[in-house]
Amino acid sequence: MSKSDFGLIGLAVMGQNLVLNVESRGFQVSVFNRTTATTDEFIAAHPDKKLVGAHTLEDFVQSLATPRKIQIMVKSSAVADTDRDAVDAVIEQLIPLLDQGDIIIDGGNSYYKATERRDAYLAEKGLRFIGAGVSGGEEGARKGPAIMPGGPTSTWEVMKPIFESIAATAEGEPCVTHIGTGGAGHYVKMIHNGIEYGDMQLICEAYNIFKHAGFTPAELGQIFTDWNNGDLESYLIQITAEIFKQNDPETGKALVDLILDTAGQKGTGKWTILNAVENTVVISTINAAVEARILSSMKDKRVAASAELQGPTASITGEKAALVKKVHDALFASKIISYAQGLDLIKTMGAEKNWGLDLGKIAAIWRGGCIIRARFLNDITDAYRSNPELSNLMLAPFFTKLLNEFQQNWREVVSLATLNGIPVPAFSASLGYYDSYRAAVLPANLLQAQRDFFGAHTYERTDKPRGQFFHTNWPDVIG
Ligand code: 6PG
């Protein structure tokens, strides 16, 4: 039998679908899974495909053409760069079986610091490593995901034909690009996920306002369908419309109303926040989204507090169409802020790490395949293509215009929700960022005075050149 072009380890659903995707582009693929029965079942289910099922890692490695291209799709659990997890275990087993120049690709949601460690470790052994973020869920893996590979350019060049053939396309361009060296691919996937958290929370806040205004799931299904036919068009808006239309077969009720309000999370959002703090970058929308999941998970405490802590009873009346327009504007404006913050973090970190990141290219590959794919990523791509040095997405003329247009309705929605006791942490965090960023003067003069008061930390003055520092002998309040 001829040698395979590509090998994949880990036949969970994502792995299986990626294999079928690669095979469908004309490549022969070898597969290995720790539980051999899974391998056998998978091969048996696809008798007419160019697949090779191996029962041992030795056979698997021997079945591949060199330089071998082996993608690992096992669950990563490392939360620190020093943690060892299933990805490391597979790598250790592979090392003695591989030849110089062979390529290992980690396609899971690995922590970028672990990716950097693995990259350095494998390079010492003469092996090549690509940490590739893969987005799009199970369906994306089968039909075309967005792929965010990081690693040396020369290794990317070897992988490019396979990656480009299996990726989704947007505007005729494949949704894959060489993100940068080292851990850049997994890093950018992590921020993608942070942005995904922001998008999802903003949609949930819109839903919560509508729910308190008495909209039925059927009405919500229609609103989101309409939005998906307009400037908010995106995968997450599309699936939200479908969710509202789904009835529970057992009770006939809208399924969404039967789902418990406690959100799960696997860690990429938390990593994004930690990284933002490390880089001194504000990502308040994503913060709010992660924290909203944490608060949602405290169901028992919330139920207990709901009997103790008072607030208004929501009563939202008035013309529904007007409310829909206002919430649309609040959602869109907040979404722009969330992307502005996420991209700011990518830019800052890219410069810090010297990854040579290109925000235009990153935005371009997010236009298709991935969970955050959205029509407005075309406009983000255009913004960075026309000005790669853009200091903040809000200041790209297209987005400045939109924010100026939306800001009044955005304020009204945050006020309305707040007066009705409906939590909108991501809408309001976004608006707070917008108002802070556009404020020529903030109250930090007082803050500096406080710092100088208790710690002699000094301050600059508005009437003296920047860079001169002053200290005042403040009154003694302790006595
Ligand atoms: C994707 C998704 C995918 C997954 C994340 C988020 O891009 O395909 O981001 O990677 O949904 O793991 O999961 P949590 O919501 O559980 O953190």
Side-chain angles (χ1 to χ4, degrees), residues 68 99 109 164 210 243 290 372:
R68 299 181 178 91
D99 293 313
N109 268 334
E164 287 196 343
F210 288 141
I243 289 167
V290 174
I372 65 169

Side-chain angles (χ1 to χ4, degrees), residues 165-187:
S165 72
I166 63 170
T169 54
E171 309 289 317
E173 298 169 27
C175 294
V176 58
T177 188
H178 181 225
I179 299 287
T181 51
H186 274 138
Y187 177 79

Side-chain angles (χ1 to χ4, degrees), residues 14 108-109 133-138 140 145-146 148 189 192-194 196-197 200 263-270 293 369-372:
M14 282 287 283
N109 268 334
V134 179
S135 177
E138 294 170 6
M148 291 151 253
K189 174 62 175 31
H192 163 285
N193 280 25
E196 173 186 305
Y197 276 51
M200 294 167 80
Q265 54 182 324
K266 290 199 287 289
T268 46
K270 284 192 244 175
R293 289 198 192 193
C370 61
I371 302 295
I372 65 169

Side-chain angles (χ1 to χ4, degrees), residues 311-467:
T313 304
S315 159
I316 301 177
T317 52
E319 215 226 319
K320 283 187 169 177
L323 180 66
V324 172
K325 165 70 178 132
K326 284 184 182 174
V327 175
H328 163 280
D329 291 359
L331 175 56
F332 203 150
S334 302
K335 186 174 164 82
I336 295 169
I337 301 303
S338 182
Y339 282 69
Q341 295 175 347
L343 290 163
D344 186 23
L345 180 54
I346 291 180
K347 186 178 170 185
T348 307
M349 179 73 170
E352 167 72 25
K353 300 285 278 185
N354 225 348
W355 275 333
L357 304 183
D358 179 332
L359 293 191
K361 279 190 181 169
I362 292 169
I365 65 164
W366 287 348
R367 291 176 302 176
C370 61
I371 302 295
I372 65 169
R373 62 185 181 262
R375 184 196 286 189
F376 99 137
L377 276 158
N378 284 312
D379 304 307
I380 298 184
T381 304
D382 291 346
Y384 282 102
R385 282 186 178 163
S386 60
N387 179 10
E389 299 311 318
L390 189 60
S391 66
N392 187 296
L393 184 67
M394 295 186 294
L395 298 174
F398 177 85
F399 289 106
T400 304
K401 188 167 170 287
L402 284 184
L403 288 167
N404 287 340
E405 186 186 320
F406 294 150
Q407 54 97 20
Q408 184 56 34
N409 281 345
W410 188 12
R411 294 178 196 289
E412 288 180 25
V413 167
V414 170
S415 309
L416 180 79
T418 307
L419 288 172
N420 278 279
I422 302 167
V424 283
F427 277 0
S428 51
S430 308
L431 184 55
Y433 178 84
Y434 174 79
D435 279 337
S436 297
Y437 201 101
R438 67 179 195 86
V441 178
L442 284 169
N445 48 334
L446 176 59
L447 197 138
Q448 285 297 81
Q450 292 165 335
R451 290 180 69 240
D452 191 56
F453 197 119
F454 62 68
H457 295 298
T458 74
Y459 52 85
E460 293 171 276
R461 292 177 58 110
T462 55
D463 55 355
K464 297 279 190 308
R466 291 293 305 265

